[in-house]
Amino acid sequence: MAPFFTGVGKNLAGFGFGKESSGSSGTTATDEQTYVYTSSSVVSASRPGPSAGKEMQSVRFYVQGAGGGANPTGPGNTDQSGGFTDYTHESNLQDTYKLVIGQGGIPASGGTAWGGGGDGASMPGRSQFGGGGGGGSFVFYSPITSFTASNPYHSSIVVCSGGGGGAFNDSLPSNRGGRGGTSTGEDGQRGTTGGGNGGGGTQVGGGTGGTQYPSSNADAESGNDHQGGSGNQSGYEFAGGGGGGGYYGGGAGGSCISVCPGPTRNGSGGGGSSFYRSPEGTLNSWSQGIDTSHPKYDAARGSAGEPGKITIVWEWLE
């Protein structure tokens, strides 16, 4: 086995490190690179130097979306995790891929998260603020130059994993954002009956925004291409959570614009959906939220408020 090496893929938006293994001439060789979130910029991931001039066989991606932002006042929301996708790209292989690594959802209506996580709602009447959705983690064909709501490069996604939705502001232990991942992100969850949760993103559109109270107010913002919905009105109490980013983002949870009876019609954000390019490769597995049974799943990433991660294994013929 060749020696380990470090320093692959270091830049302002992420840090990659790797290891290389190979057999004798005529066999395949592999190189593993890992990228984690450090700042909100697009990351370049290029084939390793030892593979130069050789035939690439496949590129395998292990992609974790970020977790949704926590409930600022309650004991729950430990499982609003981002999705996990294990996908092997086998045709139309690229020398360089572009990565967006999801930022953990920001608590207390602190803003949107890199990777499409929506902002939690702000209810200043009782100083209550919802958790934001976690960003999705994405692999794109190169080149892309930016990643914004107006230019998400949606048709250039090779594989992605959805982020978890943000929790709404309440003390219920079972209140949490929807888990990100698989073809449809999970709807937001709450510990009492009643409407208000944001819907999970799907393969064809964003999750619906939750109903607000009173219902004469517009629903919370729905998800869209990669972007989770954000709390779009200020009011009194029980601030809704933001939607998670993903292939399509989850919808934001509804809030109580005025005093809620109960409360009713407030909720958490939905999780974002995941995606893989089926004509060009093989889906090995994917999960909605945590997948601790997978050897490449990193339990330190993608849980509530934690950023995402992408690991790449390049395989070429010696």
Side-chain angles (χ1 to χ4, degrees):
M1 179 179 288
F4 292 149
F5 63 94
T6 60
V8 178
K10 184 177 181 182
N11 56 42
L12 290 176
F15 178 78
F17 50 91
K19 57 185 179 182
E20 176 190 352
S21 63
S22 64
S24 59
S25 178
T27 63
T28 58
T30 62
D31 175 83
E32 182 176 307
Q33 302 169 348
T34 297
Y35 296 85
V36 297
Y37 173 84
T38 59
S39 65
S40 301
S41 299
V42 177
V43 182
S44 293
S46 297
R47 63 186 290 170
S51 70
K54 298 175 182 177
E55 182 181 355
M56 193 65 66
Q57 298 293 291
S58 66
V59 186
R60 190 166 182 173
F61 298 99
Y62 306 94
V63 185
Q64 284 183 245
N71 173 354
T73 61
N77 60 72
T78 58
D79 193 19
Q80 52 209 36
S81 48
F84 179 79
T85 306
D86 173 358
Y87 168 77
T88 304
H89 199 204
E90 297 161 326
S91 65
N92 194 22
L93 302 179
Q94 309 290 299
D95 290 334
T96 298
Y97 294 88
K98 297 291 188 178
L99 313 180
V100 167
I101 304 161
Q103 178 184 7
I106 301 172
S109 190
T112 58
W114 177 246
D119 193 8
S122 171
M123 297 290 118
R126 292 183 62 187
S127 298
Q128 295 185 352
F129 308 96
S137 293
F138 301 79
V139 178
F140 295 93
Y141 297 116
S142 182
I144 70 167
T145 57
S146 64
F147 184 71
T148 64
S150 61
N151 197 3
Y153 291 91
H154 204 70
S155 63
S156 296
I157 299 171
V158 178
V159 59
C160 68
S161 284
F168 80 91
N169 191 298
D170 192 44
S171 59
L172 297 166
S174 56
N175 157 47
R176 60 173 175 81
R179 301 181 185 113
T182 69
S183 60
T184 302
E186 184 184 34
D187 294 347
Q189 302 293 302
R190 53 172 292 147
T192 61
T193 59
N197 288 311
T202 71
Q203 295 298 287
V204 296
T208 56
T211 304
Q212 309 204 86
Y213 183 85
S215 58
S216 55
N217 291 279
D219 290 348
E221 187 175 57
S222 296
N224 207 329
D225 292 2
H226 96 258
Q227 183 67 49
S230 291
N232 54 3
Q233 284 186 272
S234 290
Y236 186 68
E237 62 182 347
F238 298 111
Y247 184 58
Y248 282 96
S255 303
C256 292
I257 309 304
S258 59
V259 179
C260 269
T264 58
R265 293 187 173 84
N266 56 296
S268 297
S273 59
S274 299
F275 170 83
Y276 63 95
R277 194 162 292 278
S278 58
E280 297 181 2
T282 300
L283 176 67
N284 304 303
S285 68
W286 61 359
S287 67
Q288 195 180 72
I290 295 169
D291 185 10
T292 53
S293 65
H294 196 291
K296 288 291 186 182
Y297 183 85
D298 185 350
R301 301 277 170 179
S303 58
E306 294 295 331
K309 176 181 179 179
I310 297 176
T311 298
I312 306 173
V313 177
W314 306 79
E315 183 181 32
W316 64 92
L317 189 64
E318 285 285 7

